[in-house]
C-alpha cells in the first residue's frame, strides 16, 4: 500500500502525507476510492482531506473527475535543492544537440535510480525514464554506471537480492552481473542492450567527485541502431567529464 496502513492514532499530517504519497508515476491519477485504498485512509476522512487539498491546489481534478497532483505542489517542488541539475543541464543540452538522442541524468536513491533531468526530442526513441521516475539499478545504463562505483559491501548486498527481470535480456545472475560491473569500472562506462525496455539500448557514464558516484549521465537509442552505440561513448564521456569538473568546482 503506497501511503501507509490503517494504524490507529495516525495524525492528520501523516494522513495527508499518505494521500499525497499514493500518487506515483504508475498512478498519476486516482479516483477517491482508489486514493483511500492506496493511502490507507478511511474513505470519509479521505473525502474531507481531499476537499481541503483541492482548495489549497495541492490536488486538482482531471476532466474525468479523477484526482491528480496540483500546481501548488509543483511550485513547491521547484524550490527543492537542484544544484546538480543546474550544473549538469547545459551538458545534457550539448550532448542532445550533438547526438539527437534522449539524454538523462540520474542519482541513486536506495536501491533504485531516480531520474532528475532529461533532454529529449520528438524523433528520439520513446523511453520509460521521466524526470522524477524511479527504476531498478541493474537493468539501466545509469544504474549500472552508479552501481559499479558503489562500495563493495553495497554491491554485494545488491547482488544478493532477488533481482527483477523487466525483459528477457536483463542480466540478473549475480556472478554475470558482477563481471559486468567490473567491465564498467575498467572501461569507465556502461552499456545495456534491451535490458530495461525492449527496443532500447543505452550507454551511461558515472559522475565521480572525489571517487564517489554522485550521478550518472545516460543516452538511449533504438536497438535498430545498436551499431551506432560505440560512437556515442566519446561525446558521452566528454559531457560526463564536464559535469564532473563543474561539480568539483562548486564544492
Amino acid at each position: 500500500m503506497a501511503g501507509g496502513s490503517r494504524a490507529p492514532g495516525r495524525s492528520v499530517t501523516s494522513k495527508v502525507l499518505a494521500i499525497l504519497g499514493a500518487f506515483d508515476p504508475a498512478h498519476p491519477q486516482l479516483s477517491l476510492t482508489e486514493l483511500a485504498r492506496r493511502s490507507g485512509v478511511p474513505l470519509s476522512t479521505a473525502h474531507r482531506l481531499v476537499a481541503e487539498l483541492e482548495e489549497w491546489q495541492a490536488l486538482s481534478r482531471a476532466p474525468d473527475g479523477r484526482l491528480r497532483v496540483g500546481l501548488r505542489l509543483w511550485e513547491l517542488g521547484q524550490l527543492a535543492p537542484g544544484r546538480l541539475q543546474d550544473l549538469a543541464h547545459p551538458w545534457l543540452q550539448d550532448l542532445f544537440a550533438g547526438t539527437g538522442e534522449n539524454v538523462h541524468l540520474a542519482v541513486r536513491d536506495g536501491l533504485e535510480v531516480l531520474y532528475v533531468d532529461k533532454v529529449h526530442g520528438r524523433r528520439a526513441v520513446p523511453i520509460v525514464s521521466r524526470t522524477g521516475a524511479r527504476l531498478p539499478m541493474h537493468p539501466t545504463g545509469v544504474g549500472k554506471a552508479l552501481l559499479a562505483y558503489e562500495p563493495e559491501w553495497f554491491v554485494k548486498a545488491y547482488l544478493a537480492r532477488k533481482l527483477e527481470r523487466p525483459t528477457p535480456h536483463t542480466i540478473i545472475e549475480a556472478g554475470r552481473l558482477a563481471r559486468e560491473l567490473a567491465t564498467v569500472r575498467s572501461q569507465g562506462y556502461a552499456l545495456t542492450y534491451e535490458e530495461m525496455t525492449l527496443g532500447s539500448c543505452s550507454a551511461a557514464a558515472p559522475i565521480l567527485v572525489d571517487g564517489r558516484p554522485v550521478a550518472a549521465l545516460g543516452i538511449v537509442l533504438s536497438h535498430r541502431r545498436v551499431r551506432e552505440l560505440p560512437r556515442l561513448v566519446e561525446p558521452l564521456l566528454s559531457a560526463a567529464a564536464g559535469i564532473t569538473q563543474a561539480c568539483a568546482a562548486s564544492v
Side-chain angles (χ1 to χ4, degrees), residues 47-64:
H47 182 273
R48 175 174 56 83
L49 294 177
V50 162
E52 294 183 34
L53 289 169
E54 282 189 87
E55 184 178 357
W56 194 72
Q57 296 182 337
L59 295 179
S60 64
R61 298 272 181 176
D64 64 359

Side-chain angles (χ1 to χ4, degrees), residues 14 17 23 39 66-67 79 94 101 111-112 118 139 142 170 173 183 194 196 217 228 232 245 250:
S14 71
L17 292 176
F23 296 93
S39 66
R66 292 163 67 83
L67 293 156
L79 301 178
D94 287 349
E101 308 295 346
L111 300 175
E112 300 174 309
K118 178 178 176 180
V142 288
T170 308
E173 298 79 15
T183 299
E194 299 189 272
M196 185 66 229
L217 177 66
E228 299 179 37
L232 300 176
Q245 292 175 1
S250 69

Side-chain angles (χ1 to χ4, degrees), residues 84-85 88 92 104-108 113-114 116 141-143 145-147 149-150 204-209 212-218 240 243-244 247:
L84 174 62
Q85 296 94 308
L92 270 71
H104 49 216
L105 184 73
V107 299
R108 179 175 75 82
V113 289
L114 171 64
V116 297
V142 288
L146 287 165
L147 187 57
Y149 290 89
E150 290 292 343
I207 310 300
L208 302 174
V209 177
R212 183 172 59 90
V214 299
L217 177 66
I243 297 172
T244 297
C247 289

Side-chain angles (χ1 to χ4, degrees), residues 108-113 134 137 154 158:
R108 179 175 75 82
D109 187 17
L111 300 175
E112 300 174 309
V113 289
R134 299 169 184 271
M137 297 186 76
F154 181 87
Y158 189 96

Side-chain angles (χ1 to χ4, degrees), residues 223-241:
H223 76 289
R224 293 190 297 271
R225 296 166 46 223
V226 65
R227 293 183 179 180
E228 299 179 37
L229 199 56
R231 75 170 178 82
L232 300 176
V233 170
E234 184 176 349
L236 172 71
L237 292 176
S238 179

